[in-house]
Structures are given as structure tokens and as C-alpha cells.
Amino acid sequence: MLFLILFPVLAAVVLLLTRNEKARSIIVMASAATVAIASILLAATYYGQGLVLFDVGIQSITPLMFAAEMVLAAVLFYLGIRYKKYPASILAVIQAALVAWFEYGIGHDIHATNDLYIDGLSSIMVLIIGVIGSLIVVYAIGYMRNSRHHNPEEKDRGPWFFFLMFVFMSAMFGIVLSNNLVWLLFFWEITTICSFLLIGYTKTEKAINNSFRALTMNLLGGIGFAVAVIVIGYDLGIVEMDRLLEMGAAGAAVMLPVGLLAFAGIVKSAQMPFQSWLLGAMVAPTPVSALLHSSTMVKAGVFIVIKMSPLLGMNSAGVMVMLVGGITFLLASMAAVSQSNAKRVLAYSTVANLGLIVACAGVGTDEAVWAAIMLMIFHAATKSLLFQCVGTAQHNIGSGDIEDMDGMFSKMPRLAGLMIIGLVGMFLAPFGMLISKWAAMASFVDAENIILITCVCFGSAVTVFYWGKWLGKMVAVVAGRENIEKGVERHEWFSTGTLACLAVALCVLFPVVSDHVIVPTVQTMFGTVSVAVSSSNLYIMSAMMVLMLLLPLLFFRKNKKETKHIYMCGVNTGNNLSFTGSMGREVSVSIRNRYMQDWFGEKRVGGIGMYVTAGMIVMIIAYSVYIWAGGAV
Amino acid sequence: MELFQIISPVCYVVLAPLLGILLAGSDRVITARMQRRKGPPVLQPYYDVRKLMSKERSTVNGVQEFYVLCSLIFMVVTGIMFFAGGNLLLVVFTLTLSAVLLLVAAFSSNSPYAHIGAERELYLIMAYEPMVLFTAIGLYVFSGSFDVYDIATGGTMPILYLLGIFAGLVFILTMKLRKSPFDLGSSHHAHQELVKGTTTEFSGRTLAMVEVMHWYENIFLLGLVALFFFDGTLLGYALGTALCILVYVFEVLIDNSFARMKWQTALKSAWLVALVLGVGNIAVLFAFGG
């Protein structure tokens, strides 16, 4: 277990020192493979054992972490001053002060017996991080090489890039395996800093601005986390996650710290009103986006919220979490309609889906959490697939705009095929995302939560629309396009193809995954399990998936029919790309989608979301503080 | 699982095309009479499809027919699951899959008319989807089960508690049946601003499959309407069957008395209906404990 946390750091350091590109790619691949195998082994070893706690027994780790945290805070403070981003500096100082106060005050007397743990949820997270994260890193090898081909004059900063990627993975493992909240906070901050550095990787002005926005917001969330740790230590005299959950379930007054931890999760998972940091993160190289969106960072956010879910429900923290999630799902889906940049559509879709996960966790029933975990798994697989497809497309057609993906089906058939799997995987039956959404919907109905029901129904309708029009672009067969697929790197094909297979396989194996992985996990969290989607229906879905795979084999034949031109009122010039206009002029045809700016424009939707969600968070946190200070529940 | 749950879907697969033909044929006759014409024979839809099957085989690209076939297959799957008494949400999602596959076929042609038609159809999906979901949820809140079988044999007519949702469903049925004023994506009339919209580039066998799919779809939709009257008694089944036909006639009347509206109107009105009738009805059910 420690191996998983420490090995990536080691790999990172080695990579930082490796200047040779060939050697680097070998080390990256070997380390990624090691991490993936180690995570599978870890999950397999502790499979079915419920919660297992570990006493690491090295007392000197905590002070070391504390020292590292102080150094990092100092660095952030300096960077904030240097780039004139004072809020970031101030927040970094506040956070360092909070941590220091805890460490030398109340925290000094509290000792955690079990610093690490593993349970079903952690195992799932370990697999997501280890397998999908590693695939993304492999993809990054090809992507970064390709990037350098496009801008040869740039200095090779590959070592730094891969260093950050691996440190990031290590910190993620730390988050999902730490039982000691102080450790958790440390790893939490490392992910904040890594994402800050990765977003600012290109060092353009925009990248720097966006990276500081991400930093500022996540530091704010981190402060929430730190305050939560202090309150927990002060009130309950503990620093361990398992005991917090235990005492909370037993009825201790934990609403304020749980609310604050959930708040930290909300910021990290880019829920409204904090969605802008994730959208700004698009300036980073595509593998970073894929990593942030699928297996790291935002998943840390939803992880902590799901972790807290047994304590959520119809209480102040629960209401905050579910409403923020539900409203974010609806509004972010709407905002996605208005975007034509592929990465921005993906980003809004991430925000929306995380919203759904957060809402499920907020509802805090066993069936809602079942849906939340399912969503998390499928989202990780499908979203990383889509990001990689878009990244490869961007390199080869020179644009990341959906409107420029005209005729991808003819230009890059294999890539288009992979992308289509990703797209339909996001919104159609019988793919996993849809089944999970269905379960989420059913659990909201069972919780009789009319606001969430409304959000999820309208949100789903909008979701069909924006994926549908993108899908329409991808499937269009456009005449006269050459195949330009040869330039795509081997690493990219391998990684993207594996992800596509993974996404499909997970759908076929859906009932098995549910019965043997998710149900036991929810069982340990809640003691009971009810699944909104009965297993017979899961098998029907699985059968439909197989049918979908078989259909092309059974019915798809080479076209023996005579191919005719498309209809353009009888004036098609004969190439399907233009028609004869007035005065015999040849007019070329281009087909564009609509983006409904005046309905779902980013400003409009984002503005509403900001006021509603920010208002709600402030009110509920203030209320929790009031209750906490008053000492009465 | 009862014997009924096996017989009923088999009947659907075999009989739905026949009933669909009669429905589409009667539709044309009634429409003609409303317009003071005599109209074609009732079996005209069948003659049309037979003729399409015999047409010269040509296409605009190699994948279109495959997509349409998939769309047809999943439409039949939708109906089978519904008439087997399966999960209503599963039915709804499979229906969406079928609808999207048809659009994919239209989009694949890269033809301006088909594209516009398909995009408008997407607007319609966005417009009616919430109400369809509220229908399923309403029936669940009423009966405590998403399974069509449990709802149909529940002992009480759902309509008594779900009047708002029923009205909402009838409203969006206009879109699903591709009737005016919401026949935005494709309509029966070829001489219009978007030619044949979604179906512009389909011909011969492909177009025939689309027609067959509509037969299956319409019978399924009428089944959904009839479900609101089923209470496990013979009377309930008879009433449901009679009233779903009446609803269809009503839709034909609407079809003939309205001009086509813009997608903006379709979206706004359908969402308003879903919000008021759908959410309102469910909220009332929650308030009074189901």
C-alpha cells in the first residue's frame, strides 16, 4: 500500500532527472505498468475484506509532512507575490497558519492509531487511479512528443511534466488510502498544487491566470478542509476518518465539519459556483485535462463527498450537497449546449456528471450511493477516452472545435469510431452512464426529492441534445476527404483503444461489477444495500450491449447499392459539397450546428448558477456555524 | 413471470405492424374526411411500403441502412419490453436509443435538409424527454413499481391520480407521433421548407423500414396511453383500448387544425407543460403520500 504512494514519487524523481526522450518514454511506460499492476494486486488482495485499517508505525512521517506543507505554502506565497496574484498568497498563508495552529495546539495531543486504511470504495478509487491514470500517462508520451513536433522551438520540459503527473498520482493514492485526516489534508493540498502547476504548464498568460484561479479556489476548499480537521480535533478529539464516520453515525454533532469537508469536495469537484477553475484548466495539454477530469483531482472531490455520504441526507450538510449537485447537473448540462469547443463541452459535461454524483451522495441513501459509485467508474473510463480522442483529433486536424470535425468519419475513421463509442457511452442505453443515471433518478424518486427529480429529468433531456448534435457531426459521411490517420502515435492508439475496450467491457460486465464490487462496498458503508435497478434489468442491459456489439457483425455488409448524390433541390453539382446557385455560380455547402446562445449561453446559465449555489453554500455553512457555536442541534 | 408476459410481447411483434397499418390507414382516411376528401384505402400504408421494397436499390452512403435497421430493431425491443411488462424507465431509454439511431442515419448523409430535420428532431427530443420521464416517475410514485406489469394489474386506474401527467403525455404525444403543430423534424407532406427533413435521404428499403418502425412505435405509444386506464380488470383493458384510440383521433384533429410551429415554441411549451403538469402532479402525489 505504501508502495503505491511512494513508487510514483520515486518514478517522478527519476523522470525529473532523465533528459533523454527515449529513456524517458521507457521509464514512463514501465512505471505506469507497475502502478497499474500494483493497484490491481492491491485491490485483489483486499477484495471482500471490508474495512481494513493499518498502523504504519512511523511517527516521524507526520512532522515531515508538516514541514513539506510549510515549504509548499512558502513557495505558493512567493509565486502569488511574483505573479501579483495576492489572494492566492493570502489563502496559502491562512492555510499554513491553520495547519500550524492545529499541529502545535490541539493536534499535538491527538495521535492516530491507524494512519492508512483500505475498503471497497478505496479499492475502486485505487483501480480508477492506477489503471485509467496509467493509461493516460502512456497516452501523454505520444501526445507530448507530437506537441513538440508542432512547436519545435520550445524547450523540452518533459521531465517536469511527467514528474508532476506521477506526483499527482501518488497524492491521489494518498487521498484514497489515508485514514488520518491530517495526512489526507496533506495529499489534498499536493493535488491542488500539482494541478496548479500542470494547468500553468504552458506558461502563457492565460495559462498562468487560469492556474491561479484554480489554485485560489482550491486553497479556499483546502481551508474548509483544514478548519474541518481543527473542529473535529477540538470537538471530538480525533483525527481519524473511520472514527469520525463512526461517531457521526452514533449521533455526535458533526454537521459543521462534515459540511466543511463536503464543501472542500464541492470545490475540488468543480461544482457551481466553482466550475470556472475546471473550465480554465483546458489551457493545459490534453493529457492533463484527461487526468484531471477522469481519474484524479475532481474524483478526489467526489470521493470525499461519497465518503461522507452515510452522514448526509436530510440534514444541513446533506441538503447543501444535494442541492448544489442537482442544480449544477442541470445548469452545467445547459451550458454544455452552448459550447462548440470540444474540450469545453467535455468540461461542462464533467461538471454536470460530478454534480449528479454529488447529488446522489448528498441524498445519502444506499441506493443513491450505489448510483454515485457506478457513475464515478463509468465517467472515469468514458471521459478519459473522449479527452484522448479530442486531443488526438486536435493534433491531426488542427482544431478542437466540434464544427471543424466535419467528416472525421471519412478522414480518421478509427479515431471517429473510438470517439463515437465515447459519445454514445455518455448518454445512450445500454451504456453504463445511462444505467447509473437511471439508478440515480430512481433513488431521487424514492427519496421523494422533487427538486432533484426535476433537475435530473430536465438535465437528462438537455444532455441528449448536446451529445446528439456532436454525435451527428461525427457520423456524417463527407465526400472527398482523405484519410489522414497515419500520423497518430502508437502510444495514443494503445491507450485510447484500451480505454474504449474497457468502457465497453464494463458495460457488458455491468451486472457482475454491481454484484461483486459495488454492492459489497455499499454494504460496508451503510450496512444495507438496495439497488434501484434490479439485477434482471441489469442483465437485460448487458444483453442489449451484446446485441449492439453483434449488430454490426450480423447486418453490416459492404455497400452493394448504387450510391447516389444527396438532395440539394436538384442542383447538386455532383460532388455533394456544393450546389449551383443563382447565375450558375457554384456555392459550397457547409453544415453547422446550433448552439442556442440566447437560451443556454455560458454567462446567463453560469450567472444563475453562481448566485443560487453560492447563496446556498454560504447560508448553510453559516447556519452550521451558528448551530455549532450555540452548542444546540 | 406469467404466461401473459410471454404471449403479449409475441403478439406485439406479430400484430403491431398489422394494427399499425390499420392505424396509419385510418389516420389518412380520417384526415381526408376532415379535409372533405375521400382519402386512400385503409390499406394504403401497406401498399406504399410494398412498393418501396420493390424499388431500385440505391443509397447516399454505405452506413445509412444499417443505422435505420438498428433503429427499427431497438424500436421493436422497446415494444417487447413494454408489452412483456418490463421496467418503464428501461423502455423509455430504449425508445430514446431508437430515436437517436434514426437521427444518426439522417446525420450520416451530410445532406442539408436531413441535417436540419435531424437537428429539429433533437430539439423535439429535448422538449418531450422530461415529460416522458415524468410519466414513468408518476406511474412509479402511484403504483410503487416501475414495472409495467405491476402498474397494469394494480387494481386502481392510474389516471385517477395522474390526470396532470396524462394531459402532459397527450401534449407531447403530438411530437412523438410527428403531428402538426410539432412535426418539425419530418412530416408526411413533402412540399415544405425542409423537404422531408430527417427522412430526406432515405429511399427504397431504408424508407420502408422507417415506415415499419413508425407502425411499431405508434402501437407502443398507444399502449402507453392505455396503461393509464388499466386496473387489472377486463373493463379497464377495454376502456384503455377504447380511449387510446380516442386519443389518437384527437391527435389527428390537432394535426389538421394547427399550422407548424417553430422549435422555440415546441421547446418552451413542452417544458412548461412538463414543469406544471408533470412536476406538479408528482408533487401532489408526494404531498398526499402516494
Side-chain angles (χ1 to χ4, degrees):
Chain A
M1 186 180 296
L2 273 176
F3 175 78
L4 267 185
I5 302 176
L6 295 178
F7 177 77
V9 180
L10 182 74
V13 174
V14 172
L15 283 167
L16 190 60
L17 301 173
T18 312
R19 293 279 141 194
N20 183 314
E21 203 174 314
K22 272 232 174 73
R24 185 194 310 150
S25 71
I26 293 167
I27 298 173
V28 169
M29 273 198 286
S31 322
T34 317
V35 169
I37 292 167
S39 23
I40 292 169
L41 283 179
L42 181 74
T45 314
Y46 291 100
Y47 172 75
Q49 296 190 12
L51 174 70
V52 184
L53 294 161
F54 295 91
D55 179 7
V56 181
I58 312 168
Q59 290 302 326
S60 54
I61 293 184
T62 315
L64 265 178
M65 280 184 182
F66 176 69
E69 219 158 328
M70 290 302 126
V71 171
L72 288 172
V75 171
L76 289 182
F77 178 75
Y78 164 73
L79 286 174
I81 299 289
R82 190 178 136 199
Y83 290 100
K84 297 199 171 59
K85 305 283 180 192
Y86 304 116
S89 296
I90 295 169
L91 290 174
V93 171
I94 294 177
Q95 173 149 15
L98 283 171
V99 173
W101 183 45
F102 180 77
E103 209 53 39
Y104 287 105
I106 184 97
H108 200 65
D109 307 321
I110 306 174
H111 290 289
T113 19
N114 299 307
D115 290 317
L116 294 176
Y117 77 108
I118 187 162
D119 64 359
L121 184 60
S122 301
S123 304
I124 294 170
M125 289 299 295
V126 163
L127 287 177
I128 292 178
I129 302 160
V131 176
I132 297 179
S134 303
L135 282 171
I136 295 171
V137 174
V138 170
Y139 173 86
I141 302 172
Y143 184 92
M144 296 313 279
R145 192 182 310 164
N146 223 321
S147 255
R148 265 171 53 72
H149 280 307
H150 286 265
N151 317 296
E153 70 281 359
E154 227 175 75
K155 187 169 151 272
D156 176 23
R157 289 169 59 229
W160 179 235
F161 180 82
F162 285 103
F163 169 77
L164 287 174
M165 295 283 265
F166 275 98
V167 171
F168 209 144
M169 276 169 80
S170 147
M172 279 304 294
F173 284 126
I175 286 180
V176 301
L177 296 172
S178 290
N179 190 42
N180 185 335
L181 287 168
V182 178
W183 289 27
L184 184 47
L185 175 60
F186 169 73
F187 291 122
W188 190 266
E189 289 313 307
I190 299 284
T191 58
T192 296
I193 293 163
C194 281
S195 65
F196 160 67
L197 294 170
L198 282 169
I199 295 168
Y201 175 76
T202 52
K203 291 200 171 167
T204 58
E205 199 190 327
K206 203 172 156 204
I208 288 170
N209 283 335
N210 290 350
S211 67
F212 271 101
R213 186 185 312 143
L215 179 66
T216 312
M217 287 186 175
N218 280 303
L219 281 176
L220 197 64
I223 288 177
F225 201 121
V227 174
V229 172
I230 293 173
V231 173
I232 292 167
Y234 180 79
D235 279 2
L236 308 173
I238 51 169
V239 282
E240 286 154 293
M241 175 78 92
D242 64 316
R243 293 184 58 196
L244 170 69
L245 292 172
E246 235 167 61
M247 293 172 93
V254 290
M255 268 312 109
L256 179 65
V258 168
L260 287 169
L261 287 177
F263 169 74
I266 284 173
V267 177
K268 196 143 262 198
S269 55
Q271 297 298 287
M272 284 184 176
F274 304 106
Q275 83 281 19
S276 59
W277 81 256
L278 190 61
L279 285 146
M282 294 294 121
V283 292
T286 305
V288 175
S289 311
L291 201 65
L292 288 181
H293 282 257
S294 63
S295 60
T296 61
M297 199 66 183
V298 296
K299 286 288 170 347
V302 290
F303 167 75
I304 200 85
V305 182
I306 293 178
K307 199 80 213 170
M308 292 293 130
S309 63
L311 303 182
L312 300 173
M314 287 315 282
N315 50 42
S316 57
V319 169
M320 172 178 89
V321 171
M322 70 175 88
L323 290 183
V324 167
I327 290 169
T328 302
F329 173 66
L330 176 62
L331 293 179
S333 303
M334 288 179 166
V337 172
S338 67
Q339 301 301 312
S340 73
N341 182 310
K343 280 170 103 181
R344 287 187 79 84
V345 175
L346 292 182
Y348 270 118
S349 133
T350 301
V351 173
N353 283 305
L354 295 172
L356 201 56
I357 300 174
V358 167
C360 285
V363 169
T365 59
D366 44 358
E367 63 176 348
V369 171
W370 182 91
I373 297 175
M374 274 295 184
L375 275 168
M376 196 168 72
I377 296 174
F378 284 103
H379 183 259
T382 321
K383 196 44 78 62
S384 47
L385 167 64
L386 277 172
F387 262 109
Q388 296 194 355
C389 288
V390 169
T392 306
Q394 201 168 5
H395 270 166
N396 290 280
I397 62 175
S399 161
D401 198 291
I402 296 174
E403 295 301 330
D404 294 327
M405 293 184 187
D406 261 335
M408 276 275 280
F409 199 75
S410 318
K411 267 191 283 192
M412 307 182 79
R414 265 166 76 188
L415 186 67
L418 292 172
M419 206 189 264
I420 288 170
I421 293 176
L423 289 173
V424 298
M426 288 303 292
F427 78 110
L428 282 182
F431 286 89
M433 284 301 285
L434 186 110
I435 309 177
S436 322
K437 209 178 278 176
W438 161 15
M441 199 182 288
S443 69
F444 295 161
V445 179
D446 283 334
E448 303 210 343
N449 192 322
I450 192 87
I451 298 177
L452 287 186
I453 296 174
T454 311
C455 285
V456 78
C457 288
F458 281 97
S460 304
V462 177
T463 307
V464 176
F465 183 76
Y466 72 79
W467 289 124
K469 73 187 171 158
W470 185 350
L471 182 62
K473 258 287 157 290
M474 296 309 302
V475 296
V477 179
V478 180
R481 297 293 155 95
E482 250 175 83
N483 189 321
I484 55 164
E485 231 166 17
K486 284 199 187 65
V488 181
E489 292 262 354
R490 213 155 28 92
H491 304 288
E492 297 184 19
W493 280 133
F494 167 75
S495 166
T496 316
T498 313
L499 280 172
C501 295
L502 192 67
V504 173
L506 276 174
C507 295
V508 176
L509 298 174
F510 202 110
V512 183
V513 175
S514 167
D515 286 350
H516 297 281
V517 182
I518 317 294
V519 167
T521 302
V522 178
Q523 178 82 40
T524 35
M525 290 174 76
F526 288 87
T528 53
V529 192
S530 58
V531 178
V533 183
S534 70
S535 64
S536 60
N537 281 323
L538 290 181
Y539 280 105
I540 294 179
M541 280 296 196
S542 178
M544 263 171 77
M545 191 70 220
V546 175
L547 175 65
M548 254 198 148
L549 294 174
L550 285 179
L551 279 173
L553 300 177
L554 288 176
F555 294 106
F556 192 73
R557 304 220 156 59
K558 267 261 174 281
N559 179 28
K560 285 193 206 113
K561 296 175 170 184
E562 185 191 350
T563 306
K564 292 272 169 74
H565 291 136
I566 57 174
Y567 180 75
M568 289 189 194
C569 292
V571 286
N572 189 334
T573 49
N575 57 9
N576 281 344
L577 297 171
S578 59
F579 62 89
T580 313
S582 58
M583 318 284 287
R585 199 164 48 96
E586 189 174 327
V587 185
S588 67
V589 171
S590 85
I591 298 176
R592 293 286 166 258
N593 278 326
R594 242 194 278 243
Y595 289 92
M596 302 177 83
Q597 280 298 344
D598 44 341
W599 285 60
F600 300 135
E602 224 173 336
K603 285 228 170 69
R604 188 178 179 193
V605 171
I608 298 171
M610 155 119 178
Y611 289 118
V612 176
T613 51
M616 211 141 49
I617 292 173
V618 169
M619 260 160 40
I620 289 180
I621 297 272
Y623 171 76
S624 309
V625 171
Y626 168 74
I627 294 286
W628 176 74
V633 180
Chain B
M1 191 144 150
E2 301 201 13
L3 189 62
F4 174 76
Q5 284 176 280
I6 299 168
I7 298 175
S8 162
V10 173
C11 286
Y12 172 76
V13 176
V14 180
L15 294 180
L18 300 178
L19 293 173
I21 290 168
L22 292 178
L23 192 70
S26 321
D27 183 342
R28 291 177 69 170
V29 173
I30 298 169
T31 299
R33 294 294 150 84
M34 282 179 183
Q35 299 167 351
R36 298 204 173 178
R37 291 184 288 114
K38 185 166 177 295
V42 176
L43 289 180
Q44 188 61 42
Y46 167 70
Y47 301 139
D48 288 349
V49 165
R50 211 176 61 178
K51 183 174 157 202
L52 284 173
M53 295 298 285
S54 66
K55 288 243 179 186
E56 169 196 6
R57 303 185 69 179
S58 67
T59 179
V60 293
N61 66 45
V63 284
Q64 197 178 56
E65 187 177 2
F66 172 68
Y67 292 141
V68 172
L69 179 69
C70 290
S71 176
L72 170 62
I73 289 173
F74 281 108
M75 186 63 237
V76 178
V77 172
T78 306
I80 290 176
M81 288 194 299
F82 180 80
F83 284 95
N87 187 299
L88 204 50
L89 279 178
L90 183 56
V91 169
V92 168
F93 293 137
T94 316
L95 181 70
T96 310
L97 173 64
S98 164
V100 170
L101 277 165
L102 186 67
L103 298 190
V104 164
F107 276 125
S108 79
S109 65
N110 204 42
S111 145
Y113 295 102
H115 181 94
I116 294 170
E119 200 183 39
R120 287 190 189 174
E121 200 75 46
L122 267 179
Y123 280 117
L124 288 182
I125 293 180
M126 179 160 62
Y128 68 63
E129 192 81 357
M131 193 59 230
V132 174
L133 292 171
F134 288 137
T135 304
I137 291 171
L139 285 167
Y140 172 76
V141 175
F142 160 76
S143 69
S145 166
F146 275 116
D147 285 351
V148 175
Y149 180 77
D150 297 336
I151 299 168
T153 55
T156 323
M157 283 190 195
I159 181 90
L160 300 176
Y161 294 86
L162 299 174
L163 212 57
I165 285 190
F166 182 75
L169 177 67
V170 172
F171 183 88
I172 55 121
L173 210 56
T174 318
M175 300 176 180
K176 286 265 20 151
L177 293 170
R178 295 169 182 79
K179 298 273 183 217
S180 212
F182 299 129
D183 53 347
L184 299 166
S186 172
S187 83
H188 300 294
H189 322 291
H191 297 286
Q192 52 173 328
E193 88 283 12
L194 81 163
V195 191
K196 276 288 276 173
T198 320
T199 50
T200 305
E201 302 297 343
F202 302 156
S203 61
R205 252 173 45 149
T206 313
L207 192 55
M209 282 196 283
V210 174
E211 289 302 319
V212 175
M213 191 189 76
H214 286 332
W215 298 342
Y216 274 109
E217 187 177 19
N218 290 350
I219 296 303
F220 155 71
L221 289 170
L222 290 190
L224 188 60
V225 171
L227 185 61
F228 278 82
F229 299 92
F230 288 177
D231 57 358
T233 66
L234 215 54
L235 179 74
Y237 293 130
L239 195 65
T241 314
L243 279 168
C244 73
I245 293 171
L246 200 66
V247 166
Y248 193 85
V249 174
F250 175 67
E251 292 290 348
V252 174
L253 178 67
I254 300 281
D255 187 28
N256 283 296
S257 25
F258 280 92
R260 181 174 309 132
M261 289 177 183
K262 293 197 284 188
W263 63 261
Q264 286 92 337
T265 323
L267 191 54
K268 270 185 200 155
S269 57
W271 275 23
L272 194 67
V273 164
L275 207 56
V276 176
L277 295 175
V279 177
N281 201 156
I282 293 172
V284 169
L285 282 183
F286 280 154
F288 292 98

